[in-house]
């Protein structure tokens, strides 16, 4: 699973060396030591609290946002050993009723948010309180974001020189040659070695289970007896781990764009399913463009639009736009449109303009921005470390080649790009964990809310169904015939009504509910509203 931040991240990070783990190598399997260590760390954090103050300039946050840090153990089996600091952001509850400014509403505590990834930062989350869809929640809750371990200034992880991270222009063959595959295998091996060299023995401790434990320490540091949490995309996975590990610590939880948490899916098979789902969403986009052929002139059928896209890719392979936008950058830009349909007008206009002789919009949208390299490299490093550490991956290239060659015959758009992203896991130097069996029984966990778009490609809908089956008492709300990745606080008032009813009043539908899809984007418009929900 990956977030668009891997393509479009902005900002900067400084690499901080992590101390080596104690002799003995990889952390022990989850057990009594980690349970005890989490309790020790949470008690310590609860006593210390978080000293919130002005945010450092590097966070690029406005004055209304407060920042602080919370200490967590690198290794929960050794809670008195090496500590790392996670950065936290907060905006206090306004307690102002958005429908009646003279009426005060009671504060309900902190709402903690994670945007997914792995590798995404939630530090900007408190800013959503200014958006109309979020003002009700901003009145009742302190909006709290944070950078998980490895992300941003939270003991940042790096696997390669950020200056070398954005390689452009690049190719993106849907059916790569054997020589191209060998080249990418070599790159994957080198990347895995770079992660081990830069992080040392600490590399083993960047895991989803530790992210869940960190969340409990953060809960305690905020002074919350029980956690109110919203996770998007990957955030739903370690949120589900938290619900399994600490069910008695849960107040309310929202799982937006749920990952399939079945142990056998984590993470190799989830990525295969994702590649298959993106083919369907890519078709949705092309059909939308075809319906607006009078605006874009890219073709009156989905097949004709595909031909226009392939024509542009071939032209870029021969002569990259601006010297830095090749087929790989084109594919990355249009992949992001598979996450968010409000990008569709922008991408269609850029493709149309390029084919008519104006490359500037395409360069602006698809070209790598060097000022984003540090954050993008950091995000990619955390993504890779967490997914590789979390579970076993095939170590024989023949398995990857067989499975993805077969899949690429029917789903060529994203399949091989997904392989190259995840291939370092085949050569990963750190020990792998066994995924936790996410599951809660009747009465163990308070009712939770799962939100899912039916045609979400980044986290296919089957994942929401599986999450719903595994979390007893959960309620699933589905946006029918829609595919935006992350639907909480978006343009669908039906979805937002269920979200507000749950977080503000604790009300849920009986077991499942459905919402009609939000309106399709206007072909000439397409102003992208601020979004807090990443994808993959």
């Amino acid at each position: 699973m990956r977030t668009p931040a891997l393509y479009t991240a902005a900002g900067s990070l400084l690499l901080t060396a992590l101390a080596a783990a104690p002799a003995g190598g990889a952390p022990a399997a989850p057990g009594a030591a980690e349970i005890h260590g989490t309790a020790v760390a949470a008690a310590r954090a609860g006593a210390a609290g978080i000293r919130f103050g002005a945010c450092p300039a590097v966070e690029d946050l406005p004055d209304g946002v407060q920042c602080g840090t919370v200490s967590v153990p690198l290794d929960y089996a050794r809670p008195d050993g090496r500590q790392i600091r996670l950065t936290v952001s907060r905006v206090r509850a306004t307690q102002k009723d958005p429908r009646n400014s003279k009426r005060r509403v009671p504060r309900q505590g902190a709402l903690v948010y994670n945007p997914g990834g792995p590798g995404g930062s939630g530090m900007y989350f408190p800013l959503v309180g200014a958006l109309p869809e979020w003002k009700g929640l901003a009145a009742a809750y302190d909006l709290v974001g944070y950078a998980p371990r490895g992300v941003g200034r939270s003991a940042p992880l790096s696997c390669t020189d950020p200056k070398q991270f954005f390689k452009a222009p690049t190719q993106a063959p849907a059916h790569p040659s054997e020589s191209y595959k060998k080249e990418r295998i070599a790159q994957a091996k080198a990347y895995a070695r770079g992660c081990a060299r830069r992080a040392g023995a600490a590399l083993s401790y960047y895991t989803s289970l530790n992210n869940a434990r960190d969340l409990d320490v953060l809960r305690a540091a905020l002074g919350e007896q029980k956690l109110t949490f919203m996770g998007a995309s990957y955030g739903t996975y370690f949120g589900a781990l938290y619900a399994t590990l600490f069910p008695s610590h849960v107040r309310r939880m929202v799982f937006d764009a749920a990952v399939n948490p079945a142990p056998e899916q984590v993470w190799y098979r989830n990525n295969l399913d994702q590649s298959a789902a993106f083919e369907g969403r890519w078709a949705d986009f092309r059909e939308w463009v075809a319906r607006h052929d009078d605006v874009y002139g890219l073709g009156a059928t989905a097949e004709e639009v595909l031909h226009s896209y392939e024509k542009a890719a071939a032209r870029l392979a021969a002569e990259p736009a601006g010297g830095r936008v090749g087929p790989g950058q084109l594919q990355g830009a249009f992949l992001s449109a598979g996450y968010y349909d409000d990008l569709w007008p922008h991408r269609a206009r850029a493709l149309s303009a390029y084919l008519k002789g104006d490359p500037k919009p395409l360069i602006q949208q698809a070209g790598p921005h060097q000022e984003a390299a540090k954050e993008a490299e950091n995000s990619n490093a955390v993504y890779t470390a967490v997914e590789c550490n979390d579970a076993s991956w095939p170590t024989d290239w023949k398995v990857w080649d067989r499975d993805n060659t077969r899949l690429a015959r029917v789903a060529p758009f994203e399949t091989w790009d997904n392989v190259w992203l995840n291939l370092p896991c085949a050569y990963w130097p750190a020990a792998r964990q066994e995924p936790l069996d996410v599951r809660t029984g009747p009465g163990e966990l308070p009712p939770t809310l799962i939100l899912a778009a039916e045609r979400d490609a980044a986290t296919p809908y089957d994942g929401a169904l599986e999450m719903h089956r595994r979390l007893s008492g959960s309620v699933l709300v589905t946006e029918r015939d829609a595919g935006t990745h992350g639907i909480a606080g978006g343009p669908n008032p039906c979805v937002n009504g269920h979200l507000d009813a749950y977080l503000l009043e604790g009300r849920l539908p009986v077991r499942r509910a459905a919402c009609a899809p939000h309106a399709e984007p206007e072909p000439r418009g397409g102003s992208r509203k601020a979004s807090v929900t990443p994808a993959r």
Side-chain angles (χ1 to χ4, degrees):
M1 323 298 288
R2 133 181 90 183
T3 73
L6 301 187
Y7 295 102
T8 60
S12 64
L13 297 173
L14 295 175
L15 175 64
T16 300
L18 294 174
E34 284 79 7
I35 294 171
H36 171 73
T38 306
V40 169
R44 184 186 297 141
I50 299 176
R51 293 185 179 181
F52 283 104
C55 294
V58 68
E59 296 293 354
D60 194 26
L61 288 166
D63 291 340
V65 183
Q66 298 177 310
C67 290
T69 62
V70 57
S71 293
V72 300
L74 177 67
D75 176 8
Y76 276 94
R78 299 172 176 84
D80 295 322
R82 169 69 172 170
Q83 304 292 304
I84 58 178
R85 288 187 175 272
L86 310 185
T87 57
V88 185
S89 59
R90 180 185 70 179
V91 167
R92 284 282 198 179
T94 67
Q95 296 191 264
K96 296 179 181 179
D97 188 334
R99 294 164 295 184
N100 182 355
S101 60
K102 296 181 180 180
R103 178 178 176 269
R104 285 179 65 82
V105 299
R107 177 182 174 274
Q108 296 195 37
L111 172 60
V112 179
Y113 179 81
N114 178 269
S121 172
M123 289 295 287
Y124 288 93
F125 169 67
L127 300 181
V128 302
L131 300 177
E133 296 88 349
W134 290 86
K135 284 190 174 181
L137 295 174
Y141 288 97
D142 298 347
L143 300 182
V144 176
Y146 72 106
R149 59 171 60 201
V151 178
R153 294 187 300 119
S154 298
L157 185 64
S158 175
C159 290
T160 190
D161 183 351
K163 294 178 181 179
Q164 305 300 318
F165 184 70
F166 280 143
K167 297 179 180 178
T170 57
Q171 301 299 312
H175 304 285
S177 66
E178 290 303 313
S179 61
Y180 185 83
K181 291 176 184 178
K182 289 180 180 179
E183 179 183 341
R184 296 309 298 258
I185 290 169
Q187 291 176 10
K189 290 179 177 178
Y191 189 82
R193 289 194 300 270
C195 295
R197 183 174 63 253
R198 286 174 170 246
L203 185 64
S204 296
Y205 299 98
Y206 293 89
T207 67
S208 294
L209 281 169
N210 278 340
N211 284 338
R213 296 174 183 123
D214 290 346
L215 187 57
D216 200 53
V217 177
L218 175 59
R219 170 201 60 77
L222 290 168
E224 300 290 325
Q225 293 298 312
K226 293 183 181 290
L227 175 70
T228 304
F229 175 76
M230 182 187 300
S233 193
Y234 165 74
T236 69
Y237 177 63
F238 80 81
L241 296 179
Y242 184 93
T244 302
L245 291 168
F246 311 105
S248 65
H249 296 184
V250 173
R251 178 178 178 266
R252 293 172 190 161
M253 297 192 87
V254 179
F255 302 90
D256 184 20
V259 168
N260 190 328
E264 65 273 14
Q265 290 288 126
V266 178
W267 286 106
Y268 180 73
R269 299 218 63 84
N270 265 337
N271 278 287
L272 289 172
D273 290 348
Q274 187 184 66
S275 295
F278 265 107
E279 198 66 26
R281 197 60 181 152
W282 171 227
D284 291 346
F285 168 70
R286 291 185 284 113
E287 288 166 2
W288 178 86
V289 175
R291 288 197 295 274
H292 301 291
D293 186 44
D294 59 325
V295 177
Y296 302 114
L298 293 170
T301 67
E303 283 301 313
E304 290 176 354
V305 175
L306 178 60
H307 177 72
S308 294
Y309 175 86
E310 291 175 338
K311 181 180 178 181
R315 186 181 297 179
L316 290 168
E319 184 179 354
R324 57 198 179 100
V325 175
Q329 288 65 49
L330 180 74
Q331 196 270 347
F334 279 81
L335 178 66
S336 64
Y339 290 94
Y340 306 116
D341 58 17
D342 54 1
L343 288 178
W344 289 3
H346 302 288
R347 297 296 186 261
R349 284 202 308 272
L351 182 62
S352 177
Y354 173 73
L355 290 173
K356 293 174 182 176
D358 178 10
K360 291 181 181 178
L362 185 62
I363 294 171
Q364 182 182 34
Q365 294 183 36
H369 299 281
Q370 198 58 44
E371 67 273 14
K374 287 185 178 180
E375 186 175 340
E377 191 279 323
N378 167 244
S379 180
N380 194 78
V382 176
Y383 167 86
T384 306
V386 171
E387 293 217 351
C388 295
N389 284 333
D390 269 1
S392 296
W393 291 74
T395 56
D396 185 349
W397 163 249
K398 293 179 181 178
V399 175
W400 295 69
D401 197 20
R402 178 201 66 206
D403 292 346
N404 288 280
T405 298
R406 183 183 301 145
L407 180 58
R409 295 189 185 110
V410 294
F413 178 67
E414 162 67 349
T415 295
W416 286 106
D417 175 65
N418 217 352
V419 171
W420 311 135
L421 177 73
N422 292 286
L423 190 56
C425 294
Y427 312 107
W428 197 242
R432 319 303 177 91
Q433 295 190 342
E434 288 296 321
L436 183 69
D437 186 18
V438 168
R439 197 179 302 276
T440 62
E444 292 180 1
L445 182 71
T448 57
L449 176 63
I450 301 170
L451 304 175
E454 200 170 32
R455 294 188 62 76
D456 186 343
T459 52
Y461 186 64
D462 282 350
L465 296 175
E466 184 68 18
M467 185 79 80
H468 181 40
R469 284 190 289 267
R470 287 172 170 267
L471 297 182
S472 180
S474 63
V475 172
L476 173 61
V477 173
T478 301
E479 186 181 21
R480 299 290 187 192
D481 300 317
T484 290
H485 183 58
I487 58 178
N492 193 316
C494 173
V495 172
N496 294 337
H498 287 295
L499 177 68
D500 287 353
Y502 174 62
L503 286 178
L504 295 177
E505 304 171 33
R507 289 191 294 110
L508 284 170
V510 176
R511 183 164 172 79
R512 288 193 192 181
C515 293
H518 65 274
E520 286 190 337
E522 293 292 329
R524 294 184 185 275
S527 62
R528 177 153 174 73
K529 185 180 290 186
S531 173
V532 299
T533 49
R536 180 147 138 208

